[in-house]
Amino acid sequence: MAKARLLLIHGWLHSRKRYIPLAQALAGQYEVALQPLPGYDDIGRPTWTGGHLAWYADQVASRIRQQRPQVVVGFSMGGQILLRALQDQTLTPAWAVFSNTPYPALAPLNGLVRWGWPVAWGLRAVQKAPRPLGKGLVDFFASQTVRAGRLVDDLFYEDACRVKPAVAAASARELARGIDRVGPLKHTAAVVTGSGHDRLVPLAQARRLAGDLAVPLVTFPEAGHTVVLDALADYAAFLGLLARRL
């Protein structure tokens, strides 16, 4: 029997590498694909007009049409990208999962990132600084996204050094401005997840998104924003349950 196909869309200042352990944990149940986002995965940059998160959504939509994954998962910024993609009524994956997704906007940091340039300058400084200093700054930020400090690893720094600052700044600006409120999806079942210790996307945002989509909310009470680090086993088990529903 063929495995179900699953597409993962990564979050802001992450790369696909962050989700390889999750893909490995799901290998027995899914054929997993990791969506590249130019500007984050060291593969060029988006060529956008009118907002590059919408451009990313077009890339995701094209991949869904071509590969027809039964489950599509968007983490944080990836969840907003997925929300945009699924406004295209021709897309019909069986399940969409919106994990720790800023909705309708990235609330806690709006004042800092709505213009974008502080993010771009900060990332350029990190990338040009000696590794101990640059990594220290990245590690401090990363510690705000997980509950257990021991989970802050070198990949946070590697991803920050790989990303193109102008791209990350544009993403942050669009996340801070937010998206239109959404209604229930017509062709796709959905689930929203949130974490009890998420400092970047408070659980109230997950509740609001689940309410507007009229779908269940699954919470990981002991996890932070980067749920695939704080609660990898539990998160993989949750996606495993979806595989059984296909």
Side-chain angles (χ1 to χ4, degrees), residues 14-94:
H14 284 177
S15 70
R16 289 170 291 174
K17 290 182 179 179
R18 170 58 62 206
Y19 304 94
I20 288 175
L22 177 60
Q24 292 171 337
L26 295 170
Q29 297 159 296
Y30 289 101
E31 178 186 324
V32 181
L34 304 174
Q35 176 69 30
L37 298 179
Y40 291 90
D41 286 297
D42 201 21
I43 52 171
R45 65 175 69 228
T47 54
W48 68 86
T49 56
H52 76 269
L53 294 186
W55 185 86
Y56 286 142
D58 287 343
Q59 309 310 301
V60 168
S62 177
R63 188 164 190 176
I64 292 173
R65 289 192 199 96
Q66 292 172 7
Q67 298 184 359
R68 298 188 179 280
Q70 286 94 337
V71 181
V72 187
V73 184
F75 295 94
S76 192
M77 179 184 75
Q80 268 211 20
I81 292 169
L82 181 56
L83 277 172
R84 287 170 165 83
L86 291 178
Q87 302 311 303
D88 183 338
Q89 299 298 314
T90 68
L91 302 178
T92 58

Side-chain angles (χ1 to χ4, degrees), residues 5-242:
R5 291 181 296 276
L6 184 147
L7 178 64
L8 300 178
I9 310 166
H10 69 73
W12 189 73
L13 284 195
H14 284 177
S15 70
R16 289 170 291 174
K17 290 182 179 179
R18 170 58 62 206
Y19 304 94
I20 288 175
L22 177 60
Q24 292 171 337
L26 295 170
Q29 297 159 296
Y30 289 101
E31 178 186 324
V32 181
L34 304 174
Q35 176 69 30
L37 298 179
Y40 291 90
D41 286 297
D42 201 21
I43 52 171
R45 65 175 69 228
T47 54
W48 68 86
T49 56
H52 76 269
L53 294 186
W55 185 86
Y56 286 142
D58 287 343
Q59 309 310 301
V60 168
S62 177
R63 188 164 190 176
I64 292 173
R65 289 192 199 96
Q66 292 172 7
Q67 298 184 359
R68 298 188 179 280
Q70 286 94 337
V71 181
V72 187
V73 184
F75 295 94
S76 192
M77 179 184 75
Q80 268 211 20
I81 292 169
L82 181 56
L83 277 172
R84 287 170 165 83
L86 291 178
Q87 302 311 303
D88 183 338
Q89 299 298 314
T90 68
L91 302 178
T92 58
W95 287 97
V97 181
F98 303 97
S99 282
N100 302 68
T101 298
Y103 179 79
L106 182 65
L109 300 176
N110 271 357
L112 176 63
V113 305
R114 65 183 175 206
W115 301 115
W117 60 263
V119 176
W121 285 8
L123 280 169
R124 289 191 186 102
V126 162
Q127 292 171 355
K128 292 180 179 180
R131 179 184 173 93
L133 176 58
K135 188 173 184 303
L137 293 171
V138 171
D139 287 353
F140 173 77
F141 174 78
S143 69
Q144 308 306 303
T145 75
V146 292
R147 189 179 185 196
R150 60 180 174 77
L151 295 173
V152 175
D153 58 19
D154 288 346
L155 186 54
F156 281 109
Y157 178 65
E158 293 169 12
D159 282 347
C161 287
R162 184 183 298 112
V163 70
K164 292 184 168 51
V167 172
S171 297
R173 185 170 61 246
E174 290 189 35
L175 291 170
R177 289 177 179 172
I179 61 176
D180 293 334
R181 298 280 290 272
V182 298
L185 302 174
K186 293 183 178 179
H187 305 295
T188 300
V191 180
V192 173
T193 78
S195 300
H197 294 271
D198 191 340
R199 297 183 179 96
L200 295 184
V201 180
L203 199 53
Q205 290 201 5
R207 293 192 185 101
R208 176 178 287 188
L209 177 56
D212 285 357
L213 289 173
V215 301
L217 171 64
V218 175
T219 60
F220 297 86
E222 300 305 316
H225 185 67
T226 310
V227 64
V228 292
L229 286 180
D230 272 324
L232 174 61
D234 289 342
Y235 195 89
F238 153 67
L239 291 179
L241 290 175
L242 291 188

